[in-house]
Amino acid sequence: MARKNKSQPAEEPGIPAQVNQPQGPSPSLEPILDESLDSLSALQLVDLLTQFYPHGSPRRTELGYLRRRVEELEVLNDQARQAVEKLDAAVTKLTAPANRVGTLLGLPKPEIALIINGGTEFYCSIDPRLSQSKLLVGTRILLNEAYVVIGDLGFETGGPVAKIQDLLPDGRLRVGQEGGMANTLVIRSANLGKEKLKPGLEIRLDSSQRVALEVVAGAQSRDHLLEAVPELPWEKVGGQDEARQAVRDAVELPLLHNDLFKAYNHTSPKGILLYGPPGCGKTLLGKATAYNLTRQLREKTGVDHREYFMHVKGPEILNMWVGESERQVRELFARAREKAKEGFLPFIFIDECESILGVRRAGRTSGILNTLVPMFCAEMDGIESLQQMVIILASNRADMIDPAILRPGRIDRKIKVSRPTKKGSEEIYRIYINPNLPLDPVLLKECGDDRQKAIDTIIEKIVDRQFSQREDNRFLEVTLRSGRHEYLHRGEMVSGAIIAGIVERAKETAIKRAISSPEPTGLSVKDFIDALDVEYKQNDIFPPNDITEDWLKLVDYDPENVVKLSPVKPRRVDASAII
Ligand code: ADP
């Protein structure tokens, strides 16, 4: 081994001190070549060679230089090797095959798991590094290429929902879906092991549909469709005499006189279609039907019949993801059947029904309509009579509804709900202007303190104003293909919703006045005239712009004959001139 000579001057850094050489032939590596030269690094070799030269020898200086270069190269080499190692690891990761994911069905033996993956079961070993007690039945399990369990991904969060039909003594569940999956037996996940379950509850299954994972929270959430029916005697639907009568004939008669219909072998419809412009009382008529029918049934049979009114908005169902729209419709009917069994009289009210039951070429092209219409027809064909449930469809584009829906034996009664006439409008105002409301003292005095006369005056003035054919009452300009211009006045665009809105606005103004005025005050004609102007400007029944397509939905014109429809800019009229 080399030993440092104390009497030597300081060496160049890194260069070993000269070895005490015996005098003799010139130094050579030869004696050690055979032995371990191959195992030395370049740096060690340089150091070894350096020892053979005396201090001050120019060779030593050259070797010192060589040593520094070799040292630099080794550092570079080291960095390059690390970079290659990193790349290597990345390539290994990128080219590694994906792990399979299965569902854990059970742990039949220590270190063995029963897994289902892609419909096939596997009896797999478990990586000893995994804690077996932490593997839960129903969780997603990670498998390597040899189908060894190498990880646990927890419970999945999605999956089909099914209803529990029956509970087996061994804990398994018989589940099924209305009109969908056939009944199957499933096991409980570790989460549901001790849960108290009962038939009728909805549960989520794993994607292989072998394990019940959880009770779907708020399975009763379908009640969100349930809408309260207020007290609504027929008199509260104003100005719709014909529609009212048609609804009563179509729904009330067959239900209340079922025996007679049977005796005459007369088929009754399964439901009705109410069509007409928005805000004219289609929903109101639907609810009034439910209210009056159940009341009369109660009176007739002495049984405590209650309505169960489900209000569905067509576009909301349509906007659901593929498959979900169908599920919702199926469930709607299932719910109605369930409620009928519980003694309710169920009503299914579908607003804007053309969006889901439209002619099959219209609307979405994704094929959804193709499945919804036949499905709806099949559900309807399954209903025996109105006794089971009443279906009410509402639309302002009746022409767009698939004719299959409107065939005899299905919804074959089409009832038009038109805009109220002047007389009809008076009736509706009368419904909303309650005789007990505070009235303007001046008006009352003019009417000889006769409240009814004062109310009549208000209604007469406001309706006259609304239906006036004067130029300042023009609301919509219609340009016809023939080049002719026609004007629709506000009265021709009236609806029950607008009238209700005008009354509410007038009340608001009177309330504000009452708050700030020390004198007694009440509803005046001016309040109504002002409210009329604002209501026509702000009611969201009317499209916010002049897109002809949107306005066409609100008028009775044949689209073929109309070139343009544009709202007339309102001109402010001094209410006092009218009063
Ligand atoms: P549609 O279903 O035809 O769009 P709605 O029945 O929802 O219209 O009417 C909206 C509101 O307008 C109702 O809640 C009611 O306050 C009022 N309304 C509409 N038509 C009438 C009517 N004929 N009689 C009384 N109120 C009406």
Side-chain angles (χ1 to χ4, degrees):
M1 194 62 226
R3 196 162 43 86
K4 196 165 164 118
N5 184 344
K6 279 192 184 146
S7 63
Q8 296 294 333
E11 295 289 336
E12 285 192 47
I15 297 187
Q18 186 195 359
V19 179
N20 281 334
Q21 294 267 350
Q23 296 298 320
S26 68
S28 159
L29 284 176
E30 221 162 345
I32 37 175
L33 255 182
D34 296 338
E35 299 163 26
S36 51
L37 219 46
D38 284 349
S39 64
L40 297 180
S41 70
L43 215 52
Q44 284 169 322
L45 271 176
V46 176
D47 288 348
L48 198 62
L49 275 174
T50 311
Q51 292 172 30
F52 296 121
Y53 297 99
H55 285 284
S57 151
R59 287 273 178 279
R60 261 186 102 87
T61 317
E62 283 160 14
L63 282 169
Y65 173 74
L66 183 63
R67 188 180 198 283
R68 278 195 303 279
R69 294 302 305 270
V70 170
E71 214 168 22
E72 278 167 19
L73 277 176
E74 283 203 354
V75 170
L76 278 178
N77 216 3
D78 224 36
Q79 286 170 350
R81 199 179 48 248
Q82 281 174 14
V84 169
E85 274 170 9
K86 265 192 198 157
L87 274 174
D88 240 17
V91 170
T92 315
K93 256 191 202 161
L94 289 175
T95 53
N99 289 116
R100 289 175 175 82
V101 177
T103 304
L104 181 67
L105 295 179
L107 297 160
K109 282 207 299 194
E111 279 154 46
I112 294 292
L114 182 62
I115 308 285
I116 183 157
N117 166 266
T120 313
E121 288 182 18
F122 296 90
Y123 204 67
C124 311
S125 304
I126 301 171
D127 182 339
R129 286 167 295 181
L130 281 182
S131 158
Q132 197 168 324
S133 60
K134 288 200 179 135
L135 295 178
L136 302 175
V137 170
T139 46
R140 284 171 309 156
I141 291 296
L142 209 56
L143 303 165
N144 69 7
E145 275 176 283
Y147 283 88
V148 171
V149 176
I150 54 165
D152 164 23
L153 299 175
F155 290 101
E156 54 182 304
T157 47
V161 173
K163 201 182 261 184
I164 301 180
Q165 311 281 351
D166 207 358
L167 306 172
L168 271 62
D170 61 6
R172 286 178 301 163
L173 311 168
R174 189 159 67 90
V175 298
Q177 285 169 341
E178 282 270 348
M181 165 181 119
N183 282 354
T184 30
L185 286 177
V186 296
I187 56 169
R188 296 171 184 230
S189 70
N191 272 357
L192 282 186
K194 292 191 182 75
E195 193 106 351
K196 253 191 143 192
L197 301 174
K198 58 177 188 196
L201 274 184
E202 280 189 337
I203 44 160
R204 185 167 60 81
L205 304 178
D206 78 304
S207 49
S208 71
Q209 310 205 354
R210 293 281 298 272
V211 190
L213 298 178
E214 64 167 340
V215 175
V216 179
Q220 299 305 316
S221 66
R222 288 163 300 163
D223 276 347
H224 70 277
L225 300 174
L226 174 68
E227 210 163 275
V229 174
E231 199 180 311
L232 250 181
W234 285 115
E235 304 78 63
K236 283 207 176 173
V237 183
Q240 292 291 354
D241 297 350
E242 267 180 49
R244 230 162 41 182
Q245 196 52 47
V247 174
R248 298 183 74 169
D249 288 351
V251 187
E252 270 187 13
L253 291 186
L255 253 167
L256 296 173
H257 306 285
N258 190 25
D259 39 352
L260 273 175
F261 273 71
K262 270 193 188 147
Y264 281 88
N265 197 15
H266 187 60
T267 49
S268 52
K270 307 267 171 72
I272 49 173
L273 164 70
L274 301 173
Y275 69 99
C280 288
K282 297 184 291 296
T283 314
L284 197 67
L285 273 165
K287 287 189 176 170
T289 311
Y291 172 79
N292 290 288
L293 205 52
T294 36
R295 205 195 51 177
Q296 291 179 71
L297 270 178
R298 270 201 300 274
E299 280 167 14
K300 187 166 187 239
T301 60
V303 179
D304 187 22
H305 282 287
R306 294 274 155 216
E307 74 280 331
Y308 190 87
F309 193 89
M310 284 185 278
H311 190 163
V312 182
K313 294 188 178 68
E316 276 176 21
I317 288 204
L318 186 74
N319 289 339
M320 293 182 163
W321 55 96
V322 176
E324 182 59 10
S325 313
E326 285 81 349
R327 199 182 71 80
Q328 288 274 334
V329 171
R330 263 200 311 268
E331 202 163 284
L332 196 62
F333 280 91
R335 187 93 177 137
R337 279 194 292 272
E338 219 172 78
K339 285 290 151 187
K341 273 190 213 149
E342 289 173 23
F344 287 91
L345 180 58
F347 288 83
I348 298 181
F349 183 91
I350 306 183
D351 215 353
E352 296 179 63
C353 71
E354 76 284 350
S355 57
I356 49 170
L357 304 174
V359 251
R360 282 171 238 189
R361 66 187 146 69
R364 288 216 299 214
T365 48
S366 60
I368 297 295
L369 293 176
N370 290 346
T371 56
L372 274 179
V373 170
M375 210 184 87
F376 201 86
C377 291
E379 289 284 2
M380 253 188 310
D381 295 343
I383 305 169
E384 272 159 32
S385 72
L386 283 168
Q387 253 81 11
Q388 255 181 311
M389 68 180 83
V390 180
I391 301 166
I392 304 177
L393 304 182
S395 173
N396 54 4
R397 290 303 309 273
D399 55 309
M400 280 174 65
I401 299 173
D402 196 306
I405 302 282
L406 305 174
R407 266 196 213 124
R410 291 180 187 150
I411 308 285
D412 58 354
R413 297 293 161 88
K414 301 167 209 80
I415 298 168
K416 175 139 197 196
V417 184
S418 318
R419 292 193 182 278
T421 57
K422 192 172 176 188
K423 185 170 161 290
S425 300
E426 275 179 29
E427 263 181 48
I428 302 175
Y429 274 113
R430 226 168 270 290
I431 291 171
Y432 291 106
I433 306 178
N434 181 311
N436 300 323
L437 289 172
L439 296 172
D440 175 27
V442 180
L443 174 69
L444 261 178
K445 204 160 164 228
E446 277 169 14
C447 298
D449 273 335
D450 182 341
R451 293 186 64 80
Q452 194 51 54
K453 198 169 163 203
I455 288 175
D456 289 348
T457 308
I458 290 177
I459 294 177
E460 191 193 316
K461 297 256 189 205
I462 184 74
V463 171
D464 274 350
R465 171 74 189 127
Q466 202 163 3
F467 280 80
S468 138
Q469 294 284 313
R470 282 177 7 190
E471 198 182 317
D472 60 20
N473 206 31
R474 286 174 176 177
F475 187 66
L476 197 65
E477 182 179 354
V478 186
T479 313
L480 298 170
R481 206 161 285 286
S482 62
R484 214 157 57 102
H485 287 267
E486 286 182 5
Y487 289 97
L488 292 180
H489 296 78
R490 291 197 275 197
E492 285 141 340
M493 299 298 287
V494 71
S495 72
I498 289 177
I499 295 176
I502 291 172
V503 177
E504 286 315 300
R505 274 185 211 276
K507 284 184 192 168
E508 259 171 50
T509 315
I511 290 170
K512 279 191 196 151
R513 196 171 45 243
I515 294 170
S516 58
S517 155
E519 303 294 322
T521 167
L523 283 165
S524 68
V525 175
K526 184 176 182 304
D527 293 337
F528 281 88
I529 301 289
D530 289 345
L532 173 80
D533 286 337
V534 181
E535 187 65 23
Y536 273 91
K537 256 186 263 166
Q538 294 186 1
N539 195 306
D540 55 15
I541 289 182
F542 300 122
N545 44 42
D546 55 3
I547 297 174
T548 299
E549 275 301 302
D550 294 345
W551 283 96
L552 266 173
K553 292 180 196 159
L554 302 179
V555 292
D556 259 346
Y557 281 91
D558 179 354
E560 295 287 305
N561 295 336
V562 178
V563 179
K564 192 164 182 261
L565 283 168
S566 42
V568 176
K569 294 259 174 317
R571 272 208 285 134
R572 189 132 187 107
V573 175
D574 183 7
S576 56
I578 297 149
I579 305 162

